[in-house]
Amino acid sequence: MNKLFDKTKINQMELKNRFVRSATWEGLANPDGSCSRKIADMMLELAKGQVGLIITSHAYVSQCGQGSIRQLGIYDDRLISGYKKMVEEVHKEGSKIVLQISHAGARALAQTKDSEAFGPSSLKIKDVINCREITTSEILKMTENFKMAAVRAKKAGFDGVQLHGAHGYLLSQFLSPFFNRREDEYGGSIENRARLILEIIQAIRSELGKQFAILIKINSDDFIEGGFAQSEMVQVSALLESAGIDAVELSGGTGLKVSQYSSSRISKIDSKRKEVYYRDAAKLYKKKMSVPLILVGGIRSYEMAKELLEKNLADYISLCRPLIREPDLIKRWQEGDIKRATCISCNKCFVPTRAGEGIYCVVENQR
Ligand SMILES: Cc1cc2nc3c(=O)[nH]c(=O)nc-3n(C[C@H](O)[C@H](O)[C@H](O)COP(=O)(O)O)c2cc1C
């Protein structure tokens, strides 16, 4: 049975299908992190393209947490109004939208500006990471920053938030024994490394109640020596379930180096066999967990999306690069043109984004 266009619910969020736009940094926010008309237009286009759930690009919860140029921010009340119209427009099209909230930690732009970046532990890797250890009082402040970001997201009308706990940003650094070498209650055992995330969830829940959707994106594996591994992903997921998380999106990689295991892999996916980076992790997750799984990474065909649901390897299908090239992909599939996404996973979309021009697919004709 084709479940792709089922109506479902995540917490109170009613979704018209099982397609998700995975968080995608557009490089189009205003310099202060406020939402621009260009980003709102992009979200509207995705909603018109029948994406059931749109996850915004990562938005920094405090100014020292900015990780990319022209990135969205949610660090101050004055940013709320800029998001309202975008959310309203998306809702009018029948889609839902959650704000991805994030702190870049050791990967913050602060380190390139010669001011101090911090991570769970002090770490120096020449030309890659240079950060000091975050203090316990700063950790408490961080929980407050994430909570306030969620409060602002709710005020702006978002249907929920997604904590960015993947890709080597701060929350993912805490989970990872590679980054987190602390000896206090935030380091060591997996329960300790997950503590900051669990405290953030608890803080948001006690402020906004049970009915506000809280999602998280985590790594299935860091794919670095001494990093967070697949076996720990299951343990963390169980802790997240007990803390009342509403959905988990599985991804992977740390952004430390461009490798075959980066979160956005460069490799032409021209057959079903090459799709789905985290199939094994998804299998493991679905064996143990009942919290809905949003699966991202290298999913390119309608058939594969359908199969992942049929085989109970995912509850939601999340796409990033295919929707940069074809924002109307889901509509196209829904209308019966089920040819695979035309994205060739070349990552050239990063080029204009990093250059400050904003994201677009630069490849004209492919395949
Ligand atoms: C240009 C670009 C920007 C991205 N920005 C984010 C982001 O803000 N937050 C996030 O969690 N992942 C981000 N990602 C990763 C994607 O959400 C996704 O996990 C990854 O690209 C794999 O999915 P895909 O194969 O469908 O592209 C970004 C990826 C790309 C290509």
Side-chain angles (χ1 to χ4, degrees):
M1 200 180 75
N2 187 353
K3 294 161 79 180
L4 285 169
F5 294 94
D6 277 0
K7 290 185 177 43
T8 60
K9 253 173 126 178
I10 295 180
N11 198 331
Q12 302 304 300
M13 202 163 46
E14 290 182 17
L15 300 168
K16 64 179 168 187
N17 59 44
R18 292 179 184 266
F19 288 104
V20 176
R21 182 267 200 163
S22 200
T24 309
W25 162 57
E26 301 91 357
L28 284 169
N30 297 317
D32 65 350
S34 56
C35 184
S36 63
R37 187 59 238 171
K38 280 187 176 166
I39 292 187
D41 283 343
M42 261 186 191
M43 299 310 105
L44 184 58
E45 207 183 356
L46 289 166
K48 289 190 169 155
Q50 299 306 313
V51 175
L53 173 61
I54 296 169
I55 302 177
T56 69
S57 49
H58 58 162
Y60 46 99
V61 299
S62 65
Q63 278 172 298
C64 65
Q66 183 175 359
S68 331
I69 59 157
R70 308 289 303 269
Q71 188 191 338
L72 284 174
I74 189 71
Y75 58 87
D76 193 280
D77 284 354
R78 77 181 156 73
L79 299 165
I80 297 171
S81 59
Y83 287 105
K84 279 189 173 158
K85 193 151 196 321
M86 172 177 85
V87 171
E88 255 174 51
E89 289 174 353
V90 165
H91 283 163
K92 265 195 200 135
E93 295 300 323
S95 299
K96 296 293 189 283
I97 181 162
V98 311
L99 184 70
Q100 188 184 57
I101 55 178
S102 167
H103 190 293
R107 295 185 60 197
L109 285 181
Q111 82 164 348
T112 55
K113 285 188 201 144
D114 263 3
S115 66
E116 266 189 329
F118 53 68
S121 304
S122 127
L123 196 59
K124 288 192 189 0
I125 306 172
K126 199 169 174 292
D127 300 331
V128 182
I129 295 276
N130 181 10
C131 68
R132 67 166 173 86
E133 179 178 296
I134 187 174
T135 65
T136 314
S137 63
E138 284 170 331
I139 291 180
L140 297 179
K141 179 81 179 97
M142 191 59 65
T143 304
E144 180 69 16
N145 289 339
F146 271 92
K147 182 189 87 180
M148 287 313 298
V151 168
R152 291 182 193 115
K154 185 163 187 222
K155 284 188 182 154
F158 283 102
D159 300 286
V161 288
Q162 183 186 55
L163 307 180
H164 194 350
H167 306 169
Y169 289 100
L170 186 72
L171 301 183
S172 151
Q173 289 159 19
F174 264 87
L175 289 177
S176 171
F178 176 85
F179 290 95
N180 184 348
R181 301 163 189 199
R182 299 177 75 89
E183 293 179 354
D184 63 2
E185 68 270 36
Y186 291 96
S189 69
I190 189 63
E191 287 79 10
N192 282 357
R193 281 181 274 133
R195 190 178 304 279
L196 171 59
I197 294 177
L198 300 176
E199 287 177 352
I200 290 171
I201 295 171
Q202 198 181 19
I204 299 174
R205 280 268 172 259
S206 53
E207 191 71 25
L208 298 180
K210 280 198 176 144
Q211 304 203 321
F212 187 69
I214 309 176
L215 288 61
I216 191 165
K217 187 171 186 177
I218 57 168
N219 277 353
S220 52
D221 203 307
D222 281 352
F223 301 110
I224 50 172
E225 217 180 305
F228 181 77
Q230 204 166 274
S231 54
E232 292 189 319
M233 173 277 289
V234 184
Q235 288 173 270
V236 169
S237 301
L239 294 169
L240 291 167
E241 178 159 11
S242 311
I245 202 78
D246 292 307
V248 172
E249 182 173 14
L250 275 189
S251 185
T254 61
L256 274 197
K257 53 181 181 190
V258 178
S259 74
Q260 68 189 104
Y261 295 119
S262 65
S263 57
S264 307
R265 301 180 188 176
I266 301 175
S267 68
K268 191 164 180 177
I269 305 171
D270 50 12
S271 70
K272 256 176 89 186
R273 196 175 43 82
K274 296 183 190 162
E275 293 190 58
V276 196
Y277 304 157
Y278 313 113
R279 177 186 279 272
D280 292 345
K283 216 180 259 179
L284 206 60
Y285 178 99
K286 289 297 285 182
K287 226 183 245 172
K288 309 252 169 159
M289 304 292 307
S290 55
V291 171
L293 174 62
I294 302 174
L295 191 60
V296 73
I299 305 170
R300 297 292 180 267
S301 68
Y302 180 88
E303 289 84 2
M304 179 54 79
K306 190 163 160 261
E307 184 181 311
L308 287 168
L309 298 182
E310 277 164 6
K311 294 197 168 156
N312 194 30
L313 289 173
D315 300 289
Y316 294 92
I317 304 300
S318 190
L319 308 165
C320 165
R321 289 167 291 174
L323 294 172
I324 298 169
R325 182 170 174 82
E326 295 178 271
D328 63 347
L329 176 65
I330 309 307
K331 184 164 181 272
R332 160 156 92 70
W333 282 351
Q334 189 169 20
E335 288 172 354
D337 177 359
I338 57 166
K339 279 194 300 293
R340 68 174 47 248
T342 57
C343 167
I344 55 166
S345 312
C346 63
N347 280 5
K348 290 198 178 127
C349 45
F350 276 109
V351 176
T353 320
R354 289 198 182 111
E357 293 168 26
I359 202 162
Y360 58 92
C361 177
V362 303
V363 180
E364 284 192 3
N365 295 312
Q366 32 203 33
R367 74 193 26 246

